[in-house]
Amino acid sequence: MSILLVFIGGGIGSIIRHGLIQLVKRRSFPSEVGTIVVNLLGSFLLGVGVMVFTGVWETFFLIGFCGGLTTFSSFALDIVQRKSLQTTGLRFGYGVISVGGSIGMLLLGTWIGGGAELY
């Protein structure tokens, strides 16, 4: 049962990720901005979800949906390969915003989701 929940949640998260990245691209932003958006949003939702969901909903939402929505592999590819991140400063800034922002959004989400700490 949990495999099915992860499969369905991951599929939904992936579809939303694709849609958000396409929306950002249509607004004439580089695709890296879309990756930042989905990773920050996913981290925030993960923070809320960890405080709110248990049992099957936890499996569906945290592992499936948020796992499908966020995309560390695309983040890594952006840093290594994207032409719009040609300078070391842009690559560093993109990395700091992505990682630091994701951690910050996770903490904000846990606070909004119930205020308790993760540990």
Side-chain angles (χ1 to χ4, degrees):
M1 178 64 161
S2 63
I3 291 172
L4 182 61
L5 292 170
V6 170
F7 175 75
I8 293 169
I12 293 168
S14 296
I15 290 167
I16 291 173
R17 176 181 70 223
H18 176 71
L20 286 172
I21 289 173
Q22 294 307 309
L23 178 66
V24 167
K25 285 167 113 175
R26 279 195 299 271
R27 302 274 189 235
S28 299
F29 289 104
S31 63
E32 298 87 8
V33 173
T35 303
I36 289 174
V37 167
V38 296
N39 285 336
L40 295 179
L41 175 62
S43 295
F44 173 76
L45 293 174
L46 186 69
V48 171
V50 80
M51 302 307 299
V52 174
F53 295 119
T54 59
V56 296
W57 287 108
E58 181 179 26
T59 301
F60 170 81
F61 189 78
L62 301 182
I63 298 170
F65 179 78
C66 289
L69 177 63
T70 60
T71 173
F72 190 79
S73 57
S74 293
F75 160 69
L77 180 66
D78 286 346
I79 286 183
V80 171
Q81 201 173 45
R82 299 292 181 195
K83 290 185 180 327
S84 61
L85 298 175
Q86 290 176 348
T87 68
T88 302
L90 284 174
R91 289 171 198 246
F92 180 77
Y94 178 64
V96 167
I97 290 169
S98 294
V99 174
S102 292
I103 292 169
M105 293 301 284
L106 176 77
L107 294 172
L108 177 63
T110 59
W111 181 70
I112 288 174
E117 297 180 24
L118 289 175
Y119 49 91

